[in-house]
Amino acid sequence: MTSHASPPVLVGSLKTLNADLPAGAIIHAWLKAAEAETPAEMTASRDGKVIGRFTARNAEEFEHGTLVVEDGGETVLAYDATTTTLSVVYAFSEADVLEQGIRVLLSGEANAPPAAPGSYHFRPPFGWMNDPNGFGRFGDQVHLFYQHYPHSLRWNTMHWGHAISDDFLHWRHLPVFLFPSAELSTRADGRGGAFSGSAIRRSGEAPGIRVFFTEQVKDREPEEQIQLTAVSDDLVTAGPAELVLAERPAGLDLTLDFRDPYVFEGPDGRWKMLVGSRDHAGGVVLLYETADPDAAAGWTYLGILHREDRFGMTAAECPCIVPLDGAADDPRTRWALIFGLLTSRDPATGRRNLTLATVGRFDGRNFDKEFEQELDFGTDAYAFQAFVDHGGPVGIAWLANWTDISKRTDFPTAMTLPRRLLLEDGTLRTPPVASAESLRRQLIDDHRLFSGETVDLGNGAVEIVIDLPAPGAAFDLEFDHPEVELGLRVDEQGLSILYDAPEGKFPPRYIAAGARPSTLRIFLDMGSIEIFADNGRWTGTKRLPGFESIRSARLIARHGNVAAARLWQVAL
């Protein structure tokens, strides 16, 4: 688990930070100069003797430095606060970082994680986070990479953060994995960086993984967005990036949107790549392939795999595709093609940035759609990425939506609960992973909520299970949230998240129209609500402002409309 050292000690303008580190420990630090004329510096000392130093001349953006501590023991890090600003300092041991993770020694006020004791959703140890990247099992552990800006709680020049888990719930934070190019790393102007992508196992006897990602450089000619690849032999550090796709396909009237490479093994055994884009009619998903067993080169454009133009000129983002009900090389297997639609708006509800799931058959070149549904009616499960694990496909999403972001709103975010993907009764279902039941710590109520009483929710980290005697039996579940009006409703119109923030504008309707659920699992946490109805037949996710707890819940229903209601306190 990540741990923080004691706060720095200030003597005059000199700040010191003590850490007991093992021999061979590696320290990563980001610092910048308070003024351009005076370099920033931090020294590392042992028994009064300087054993290394970090320096930076940039006064606009933090510079990254690395130091190896050869001998174990108490290490003192010291810097002059009048000339040097620190963002992040962490340490780890190369030999056991996959087992122990990093130890965060310092993060600043601008990038400190939110105080959310008892929260069970994944959050970064510092800084901003958005899309999941490279989600997959490599070796015996699940790896989650993610879009990351280490130095504030706002989006800026993109890095890749990294964490691993044994059960999809308990995560160990690892060192920052991908860094922006040298052209971008010295500026904090949001011009681009290492955008979203994916990861695959390396072929043959070669160890490690290969990652694919978009490099974005705003106003670059002729392409703002290109696709790069890099290799990691140790699952912790990435080697130098190499270009794999230098330009968009010609003759398709595509906009500059050309990003989020998702690489996977196709039914024919060849590596395939999906890339999201848009033309002047709507969003398109592009398909590439290579015969290279290591997927390092030789990528050929095959065509547009899928088009979505019902919502106007929207970009298809973060596409992924997984087999659902059989082996990838079985022609009877159905596949789920999932993608977000940036700037889309549902005219019936006003919801923005929808995520669609299209199910059909895929032969390696063509996708024949059988049916389509929305992935999440709450829309705050964006940039969904999935892979095929031992027990079937599993996916995770960013628990947020670009619609909510503003300069006035504090916005440290989380990932959703990981979700399975199942094909049942002609529908795609996305229930939480089975290990989510292990979060239950104590049954705190099995009759008061059912009886219509107001039930205190403690720290607000709870799971509520409601069973209905008949599909679609009507009820209202009211929550007491300190900042918004919040509730859940089943009625003749369907299943709804009732959400109204006091912002002076008409809110969207978060509804699964026509849904008639029989069982609902409702996960509440600091900053979020997730609903899984009928084993994920209808799934709704909504980010909530702030990190104060939902204080209480009250169930309102006609006699006989609810069969049972149970409430568990949950925790990692």
Side-chain angles (χ1 to χ4, degrees):
M1 295 295 291
T2 301
S3 61
H4 288 68
S6 301
V9 176
L10 180 64
V11 180
S13 63
L14 185 67
K15 286 189 175 183
T16 59
L17 180 69
N18 290 18
D20 187 9
L21 300 176
I26 300 171
I27 302 174
H28 285 190
W30 281 263
L31 58 162
K32 70 177 178 180
E35 298 179 356
E37 294 77 15
T38 306
E41 181 179 88
M42 181 175 69
T43 60
S45 302
R46 173 76 47 73
D47 298 325
K49 179 182 178 181
V50 174
I51 59 173
R53 68 185 71 241
F54 300 87
T55 60
R57 293 186 174 274
N58 195 342
E60 294 184 21
E61 178 61 302
F62 292 94
E63 293 185 45
H64 174 251
T66 301
L67 174 67
V68 179
V69 179
E70 294 185 358
D71 299 320
E74 189 78 6
T75 301
V76 179
L77 302 174
Y79 62 100
D80 187 335
T82 63
T83 63
T84 301
T85 302
L86 289 186
S87 170
V88 175
V89 183
Y90 60 73
F92 62 95
S93 294
E94 189 174 27
D96 64 0
V97 65
L98 290 173
E99 291 74 35
Q100 300 298 322
I102 62 173
R103 179 184 174 196
V104 177
L105 306 178
L106 177 144
S107 61
E109 292 183 5
N111 61 350
S119 176
Y120 54 91
H121 283 81
F122 176 84
R123 292 188 177 89
F126 44 78
W128 163 270
M129 176 183 73
N130 56 289
D131 303 356
N133 306 145
F135 186 46
R137 186 179 294 276
F138 304 106
D140 295 328
Q141 295 166 319
V142 175
H143 288 247
L144 172 65
F145 302 92
Y146 54 90
Q147 291 285 270
H148 186 39
Y149 181 66
H151 311 308
S152 82
L153 301 180
R154 305 244 175 238
W155 186 94
N156 210 305
T157 307
M158 282 290 97
H159 303 55
W160 273 28
H162 188 193
I164 57 174
S165 176
D166 299 316
D167 62 358
F168 293 103
L169 298 175
H170 299 81
W171 296 92
R172 293 185 294 283
H173 298 293
L174 298 186
V176 171
F177 185 77
L178 280 180
F179 294 80
S181 66
E183 177 184 358
L184 298 169
S185 62
T186 59
R187 301 170 62 173
D189 56 6
R191 294 183 66 238
F195 275 28
S196 296
S198 57
I200 60 171
R201 57 173 173 77
R202 295 194 68 191
S203 63
E205 299 299 320
I209 58 175
R210 177 176 293 279
V211 300
F212 300 83
F213 63 100
T214 298
E215 183 190 64
Q216 154 88 9
V217 178
K218 189 176 181 181
D219 300 325
R220 176 172 56 189
E221 296 290 346
E223 298 287 355
E224 288 190 355
Q225 299 179 352
I226 57 177
Q227 317 313 317
L228 303 179
T229 186
V231 166
S232 175
D233 296 329
D234 60 5
L235 304 180
V236 177
T237 56
E242 299 178 355
L243 182 66
V244 289
L245 292 181
E247 58 186 2
R248 295 160 289 165
L252 298 181
D253 193 30
L254 299 178
T255 65
L256 293 176
D257 301 279
F258 180 55
R259 57 182 175 271
D260 311 335
Y262 178 83
V263 176
F264 64 104
E265 191 170 0
D268 54 7
R270 290 191 173 192
W271 291 112
K272 312 290 180 178
M273 180 192 295
L274 305 182
V275 181
S277 186
R278 73 171 118 185
D279 60 20
H280 289 84
V284 294
V285 177
L286 310 175
L287 177 64
Y288 292 78
E289 76 169 13
T290 181
D292 180 359
D294 201 33
W299 287 97
T300 301
Y301 173 65
L302 297 181
I304 293 176
L305 185 68
H306 188 72
R307 167 183 295 281
E308 178 52 73
D309 55 14
R310 290 173 297 172
F311 300 94
M313 191 177 160
T314 60
E317 289 194 312
C318 303
C320 75
I321 187 171
V322 288
L324 291 173
D325 59 348
D329 60 356
D330 187 336
R332 296 169 297 178
T333 295
R334 267 77 60 89
W335 296 64
L337 171 63
I338 300 169
F339 53 92
L341 284 174
L342 184 67
T343 73
S344 61
R345 181 182 183 276
D346 178 22
T349 63
R351 294 170 305 128
R352 303 294 302 271
N353 300 331
L354 309 177
T355 297
L356 300 182
T358 301
V359 176
R361 301 186 194 275
F362 174 60
D363 64 4
R365 287 179 170 263
N366 303 290
F367 183 81
D368 295 322
K369 182 176 74 172
E370 294 184 3
F371 68 89
E372 182 179 74
Q373 65 189 60
E374 194 172 350
L375 190 72
D376 191 293
F377 70 88
T379 69
D380 283 354
Y382 197 70
F384 188 87
Q385 186 168 109
F387 74 99
V388 179
D389 199 19
H390 301 320
V394 179
I396 197 169
W398 179 38
L399 207 164
N401 189 307
W402 290 109
T403 304
D404 291 337
I405 296 176
S406 74
K407 294 182 178 180
R408 303 184 308 275
T409 305
D410 185 28
F411 209 85
T413 58
M415 294 296 180
T416 64
L417 283 175
R419 300 164 183 187
R420 296 180 293 150
L421 291 88
L422 310 171
L423 189 61
E424 292 183 358
D425 300 327
T427 62
L428 178 65
R429 302 186 183 223
T430 54
V433 291
S435 57
E437 287 198 15
S438 71
L439 294 170
R440 297 174 180 174
R441 290 293 173 266
Q442 180 184 1
L443 180 65
I444 58 177
D445 176 59
D446 64 357
H447 68 278
R448 288 179 294 139
L449 191 66
F450 174 77
S451 300
E453 297 180 35
T454 297
V455 179
D456 181 83
L457 299 184
N459 71 351
V462 300
E463 180 190 354
I464 302 172
V465 177
I466 296 176
D467 295 323
L468 305 179
F475 71 87
D476 274 83
L477 184 59
E478 295 181 346
F479 298 112
D480 179 15
H481 187 278
E483 295 190 38
V484 297
E485 294 182 16
L486 181 68
L488 182 67
R489 173 177 293 165
V490 173
D491 60 14
E492 68 279 359
Q493 296 184 52
L495 169 62
S496 302
I497 299 173
L498 307 177
Y499 177 86
D500 191 1
E503 298 175 351
K505 59 182 181 181
F506 186 74
R509 291 185 67 209
Y510 299 103
I511 182 170
R516 294 176 55 80
S518 296
T519 299
L520 299 99
R521 296 178 68 184
I522 302 139
F523 288 85
L524 305 180
D525 198 2
M526 295 75 166
S528 67
I529 178 172
E530 293 177 272
I531 297 107
F532 301 92
D534 286 8
N535 200 33
R537 168 62 184 89
W538 299 282
T539 300
T541 306
K542 187 74 190 79
R543 182 189 180 271
L544 307 176
F547 285 91
E548 292 189 56
S549 302
I550 298 174
R551 294 175 287 215
S552 64
R554 178 172 175 249
L555 183 62
I556 303 170
R558 295 179 59 181
H559 179 72
N561 272 24
V562 175
R566 299 174 299 281
L567 194 154
W568 281 269
Q569 199 79 55
V570 299
L572 288 172

